[in-house]
């Protein structure tokens, strides 16, 4: 069996050389290895090619006479001694990059890596010395190879380097990827074992063959490990991006929720100032002039009888508190009955109905009912307050113009003769009475009981018939 392997080992070595060349080419074109690891594995494979080339030349020309052949044999045999040292140096460079991120054991790793590199340098120096002393090997006059007395040293030097590297790998074994643990160890152990066998299998280059074979195996597992690391990093990147995406979605949802709440608050505030259709239109067209003419609206004015004298006898806090309590009751009723509050001016309260394009009398009747409710609210207020008040109410119906004035602190207001007459109805009215104009009376006389008409002088209008709603 051994004789068969010896006879055909040249073909095996040529095959392995071709495999190493192919692996070296793959290393150059792969993108999955970082530059340092790519450099180290590439030179390891090139050194492996040279390590196999040397015995091929030796087998072909050993014992062939000639000075040129002798030079070729010396060069090939030198490569045979130096190639393992270059392979170990490349492997050491790979280990240095592999363990560079191990902060907790950086000092220990650096010591072992440096020690192995020193051993390699010593091995190179010893080879140079041996080259000129025939200590490792020599060729006789017939170009036959002979081992020197120091041949064992040439085996021990790489062995010491391998032992240091094995110790380094064993100390970092648990922190290594599963795919490279065993190949790294085998790359060092198998050549050591084969070197021992090389002493009893003379003629068969088992050490060269096994070392190069393990270099090819090592490349395969290094690439697999690199692919796995890249895939793992990609998964982590995807996870990070997914988590970041979820965080962004949560933030967007929170900001959207906050924005909706803010919009709702702004909309609610706007609706407290303006009628809903006007508020919608102003929100959609903030620079548009908002104005509208209504053919048959009803306006109500009310104020407190004797408020000026009353407020002079109260503190500012008491005055504001009283007005706030009373106006809040009016606002609540207006909201319940669909009455549009226009504004308050001092102690006066102004409201409107019928702010639609249709010309009907529903707004006038609704306003009468609202006014009756205001009287009830005043009575309720007086039952729970130390300050007793009375109000006058004036109502008029007719056409008017409404719109929004200003760009800052804007207000919704109404204008026209209808508004002026309503104000006169209030000022000429009586305490706790609902005083309406003839226009309003005409629209509500079939549903509301009135007292006999009263003719009064209205500023700017002359004599007008006015009516008081029966209590």
């Amino acid at each position: 069996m051994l004789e068969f392997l010896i006879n055909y080992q040249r073909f095996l070595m040529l095959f392995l050389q071709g495999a190493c060349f192919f692996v070296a080419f793959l290393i150059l074109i792969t993108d999955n290895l970082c530059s340092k690891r790519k450099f180290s594995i590439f030179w390891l494979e090139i050194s492996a090619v040279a390590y196999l080339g040397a015995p091929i030349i030796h087998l072909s020309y050993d014992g062939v006479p000639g000075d040129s052949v002798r030079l070729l044999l010396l060069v090939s045999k030198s490569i045979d001694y130096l190639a393992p040292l270059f392979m170990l140096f490349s492997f050491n460079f790979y280990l240095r990059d592999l363990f560079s991120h191990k902060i907790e054991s950086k000092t220990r790793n650096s010591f072992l890596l440096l020690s192995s590199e020193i051993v390699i340098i010593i091995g190179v120096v010893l080879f140079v010395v041996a080259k000129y002393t025939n200590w490792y090997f020599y060729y006789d006059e017939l170009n036959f190879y002979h081992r020197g007395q120091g041949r064992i040293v040439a085996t021990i030097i790489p062995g010491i380097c391998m032992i240091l590297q094995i110790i380094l790998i064993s100390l970092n074994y648990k922190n290594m990827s599963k795919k490279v643990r065993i190949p790294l160890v085998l790359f060092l152990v198998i050549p050591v074992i084969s070197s021992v066998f090389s002493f009893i299998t003379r003629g068969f280059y088992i050490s060269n063959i096994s070392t190069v074979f393990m270099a090819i195996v090592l490349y395969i597992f290094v690439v697999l490990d690199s692919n796995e690391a890249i895939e793992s990093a990609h998964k982590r990147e995807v996870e990070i991006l997914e988590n970041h995406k979820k965080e962004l979605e949560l933030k967007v949802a929170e900001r959207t929720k906050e924005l909706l709440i803010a919009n709702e608050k702004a909309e609610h505030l706007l609706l407290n100032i303006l009628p809903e259709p006007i508020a919608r239109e102003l929100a959609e067209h903030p620079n548009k002039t908002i104005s509208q003419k209504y053919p048959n609206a009803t306006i109500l004015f009310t104020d407190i009888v004797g408020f000026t004298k009353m407020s002079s006898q109260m503190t500012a806090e008491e005055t504001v508190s009283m007005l706030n309590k009373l106006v809040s009751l009016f606002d609540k009723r207006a909201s319940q009955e669909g009455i549009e509050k226009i504004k308050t001016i001092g102690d006066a309260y102004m409201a409107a109905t019928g702010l639609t394009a249709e010309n009907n009398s529903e707004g006038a009747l609704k306003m009468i009912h609202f006014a009756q409710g205001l009287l009830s609210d005043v009575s309720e207020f007086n039952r729970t307050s130390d300050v007793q008040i009375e109000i006058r109410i004036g109502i008029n119906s007719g056409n008017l113009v409404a719109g929004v004035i200003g760009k800052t602190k804007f207000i919704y207001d109404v204008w026209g003769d209808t508004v002026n007459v309503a104000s006169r109805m209030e000022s000429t009215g009586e305490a706790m009475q609902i005083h309406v104009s003839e226009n309003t009376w005409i629209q509500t006389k079939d549903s509301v009981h009135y007292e006999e008409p009263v003719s009064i002088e209205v500023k700017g209008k002359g004599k007008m018939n006015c009516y008081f709603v029966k209590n």
Side-chain angles (χ1 to χ4, degrees), residues 13 17 46-64 66-86 127 131 136-139 143-146 151 205 208:
M13 286 188 285
Q17 265 192 316
I46 294 299
S47 300
V49 171
Y51 193 39
L52 279 181
I56 292 175
I57 294 174
H58 177 75
L59 289 171
S60 301
Y61 296 101
D62 187 40
V64 176
D67 293 338
S68 58
V69 172
R70 182 180 182 82
L71 179 60
L72 180 63
L73 288 171
L74 287 172
V75 172
S76 67
K77 187 53 67 172
S78 298
I79 293 174
D80 188 36
Y81 279 88
L82 290 175
L85 296 176
F86 285 120
F127 172 79
K131 181 70 174 58
Y136 279 0
F137 68 94
Y138 65 93
Y139 283 91
N143 287 341
F144 282 103
Y145 170 77
H146 296 278
R151 177 68 178 81
Y205 290 85
N208 302 57

Side-chain angles (χ1 to χ4, degrees), residues 1-10 12 203-204 209:
M1 180 64 180
L2 181 59
E3 185 178 352
F4 174 81
L5 291 175
I6 292 173
N7 291 334
Y8 289 95
Q9 65 179 326
R10 191 179 307 176
L12 178 59
F204 181 59
I209 293 172

Side-chain angles (χ1 to χ4, degrees), residues 58-293:
H58 177 75
L59 289 171
S60 301
Y61 296 101
D62 187 40
V64 176
D67 293 338
S68 58
V69 172
R70 182 180 182 82
L71 179 60
L72 180 63
L73 288 171
L74 287 172
V75 172
S76 67
K77 187 53 67 172
S78 298
I79 293 174
D80 188 36
Y81 279 88
L82 290 175
L85 296 176
F86 285 120
M87 291 177 70
L88 289 172
F89 182 81
S90 299
F91 185 67
N92 207 69
F93 193 77
Y94 171 79
L95 293 179
R96 183 177 290 279
D97 182 70
L98 183 65
F99 300 133
S100 61
H101 64 285
K102 307 297 181 185
I103 305 298
E104 66 280 0
S105 55
K106 185 175 182 179
T107 303
R108 180 188 65 197
N109 292 346
S110 297
F111 173 76
L112 290 171
L113 289 166
L114 181 60
S115 299
S116 60
E117 288 167 0
I118 291 173
V119 170
I120 292 170
I121 294 172
I122 292 173
V124 174
V125 172
L126 287 176
F127 172 79
V128 173
V129 173
K131 181 70 174 58
Y132 295 98
T133 60
N134 295 334
W135 192 40
Y136 279 0
F137 68 94
Y138 65 93
Y139 283 91
D140 59 21
E141 294 80 5
L142 300 175
N143 287 341
F144 282 103
Y145 170 77
H146 296 278
R147 292 181 178 180
Q149 295 178 351
R151 177 68 178 81
I152 188 67
V153 176
T155 305
I156 292 174
I157 292 295
I160 294 173
C161 181
M162 290 179 179
I163 291 171
L164 291 171
Q165 291 174 344
I166 289 173
I167 293 172
L168 176 66
I169 293 171
S170 62
L171 291 175
N172 294 276
Y173 191 77
K174 292 182 179 180
N175 296 326
M176 294 166 58
S177 169
K178 293 180 180 179
K179 279 189 170 55
V180 296
R181 287 176 181 175
I182 297 177
L184 288 179
V185 174
L186 291 179
F187 175 76
L188 298 171
V189 171
I190 288 181
V192 172
I193 296 174
S194 62
S195 296
V196 175
F197 278 99
S198 66
F199 286 98
I200 59 175
T201 57
R202 298 191 62 158
F204 181 59
Y205 290 85
I206 186 173
S207 178
N208 302 57
I209 293 172
S210 62
T211 301
V212 173
F213 177 75
M214 288 312 303
I216 296 172
V217 172
L218 177 65
Y219 160 77
I220 295 172
F221 283 93
V222 165
V223 171
L224 289 175
D225 174 60
S226 179
N227 290 339
E228 185 180 79
I230 291 173
E231 185 178 350
S232 177
H234 178 67
K235 287 181 179 178
R236 286 197 298 271
E237 185 179 357
V238 171
E239 288 177 0
I240 292 171
L241 289 175
E242 287 293 333
N243 291 334
H244 186 59
K245 179 183 176 183
K246 290 179 181 178
E247 290 176 2
L248 286 177
E249 288 176 350
L250 288 174
K251 288 182 179 180
V252 169
E254 290 176 2
R255 296 294 181 271
T256 303
K257 184 178 180 181
E258 291 173 0
L259 184 61
L260 288 173
I261 293 173
N263 286 341
E264 288 177 0
K265 289 181 178 179
E267 185 177 348
H268 180 69
L269 182 61
L270 200 58
L271 290 174
N272 281 338
I273 301 173
L274 306 173
E276 184 173 349
I278 301 300
R280 303 291 183 208
E281 188 171 359
L282 188 63
E284 293 176 4
H285 308 285
N287 295 321
K288 182 180 178 181
T289 300
I290 307 296
S291 62
Q292 183 69 46
K293 188 171 183 179

Side-chain angles (χ1 to χ4, degrees), residues 184-431:
L184 288 179
V185 174
L186 291 179
F187 175 76
L188 298 171
V189 171
I190 288 181
V192 172
I193 296 174
S194 62
S195 296
V196 175
F197 278 99
S198 66
F199 286 98
I200 59 175
T201 57
R202 298 191 62 158
F204 181 59
Y205 290 85
I206 186 173
S207 178
N208 302 57
I209 293 172
S210 62
T211 301
V212 173
F213 177 75
M214 288 312 303
I216 296 172
V217 172
L218 177 65
Y219 160 77
I220 295 172
F221 283 93
V222 165
V223 171
L224 289 175
D225 174 60
S226 179
N227 290 339
E228 185 180 79
I230 291 173
E231 185 178 350
S232 177
H234 178 67
K235 287 181 179 178
R236 286 197 298 271
E237 185 179 357
V238 171
E239 288 177 0
I240 292 171
L241 289 175
E242 287 293 333
N243 291 334
H244 186 59
K245 179 183 176 183
K246 290 179 181 178
E247 290 176 2
L248 286 177
E249 288 176 350
L250 288 174
K251 288 182 179 180
V252 169
E254 290 176 2
R255 296 294 181 271
T256 303
K257 184 178 180 181
E258 291 173 0
L259 184 61
L260 288 173
I261 293 173
N263 286 341
E264 288 177 0
K265 289 181 178 179
E267 185 177 348
H268 180 69
L269 182 61
L270 200 58
L271 290 174
N272 281 338
I273 301 173
L274 306 173
E276 184 173 349
I278 301 300
R280 303 291 183 208
E281 188 171 359
L282 188 63
E284 293 176 4
H285 308 285
N287 295 321
K288 182 180 178 181
T289 300
I290 307 296
S291 62
Q292 183 69 46
K293 188 171 183 179
Y294 299 107
N296 188 23
T298 300
I299 299 297
L300 173 145
F301 278 95
T302 178
D303 70 350
I304 299 173
V305 178
F307 175 75
T308 302
K309 182 178 179 181
M310 183 188 306
S311 61
S312 65
Q313 299 171 351
M314 301 168 63
T315 64
E317 290 80 3
E318 290 172 339
T319 302
V320 173
S321 177
M322 179 198 71
L323 286 175
N324 182 61
K325 184 177 178 181
L326 183 64
V327 170
S328 295
L329 290 173
F330 292 175
D331 287 345
K332 182 178 179 181
R333 183 170 294 279
S335 177
Q336 290 173 345
E337 298 187 13
I339 302 298
E340 193 67 55
K341 174 187 175 182
I342 302 300
K343 60 184 175 180
T344 58
I345 307 172
D347 64 315
Y349 189 91
M350 180 182 180
T353 59
L355 299 176
T356 64
E358 291 79 16
N359 187 359
N360 57 58
S361 60
E362 293 180 3
L365 183 59
K366 182 188 289 186
M367 188 63 84
I368 297 297
H369 292 159
F370 175 66
Q372 291 171 333
L374 295 184
L375 295 176
S376 299
D377 289 336
V378 171
S379 299
E380 179 66 27
F381 175 87
N382 289 335
R383 280 195 293 270
T384 58
S385 175
D386 295 334
V387 180
Q388 302 296 299
I389 64 171
E390 292 180 322
I391 63 171
R392 289 187 301 266
I393 298 176
I395 300 174
N396 181 38
S397 301
N399 63 75
L400 54 80
V401 174
V404 178
I405 300 175
K407 296 299 181 183
T408 60
K409 296 184 179 179
F410 51 79
I411 61 169
Y412 180 75
D413 209 347
V414 290
W415 303 272
D417 190 57
T418 300
V419 178
N420 298 332
V421 172
S423 177
R424 299 292 183 269
M425 293 298 101
E426 179 272 319
S427 61
T428 57
E430 297 179 4

Side-chain angles (χ1 to χ4, degrees), residues 32-52:
N32 291 350
L33 288 173
C34 65
S35 58
K36 290 183 178 180
R37 297 187 188 184
K38 180 185 287 191
F39 173 82
S40 59
I41 298 298
F42 174 78
W43 284 111
L44 189 148
E45 299 298 333
I46 294 299
S47 300
V49 171
Y51 193 39
L52 279 181

Side-chain angles (χ1 to χ4, degrees), residues 423-440:
S423 177
R424 299 292 183 269
M425 293 298 101
E426 179 272 319
S427 61
T428 57
E430 297 179 4
M432 301 303 287
Q433 295 289 323
I434 302 172
H435 195 206
V436 305
S437 67
E438 190 169 14
N439 286 343
T440 304

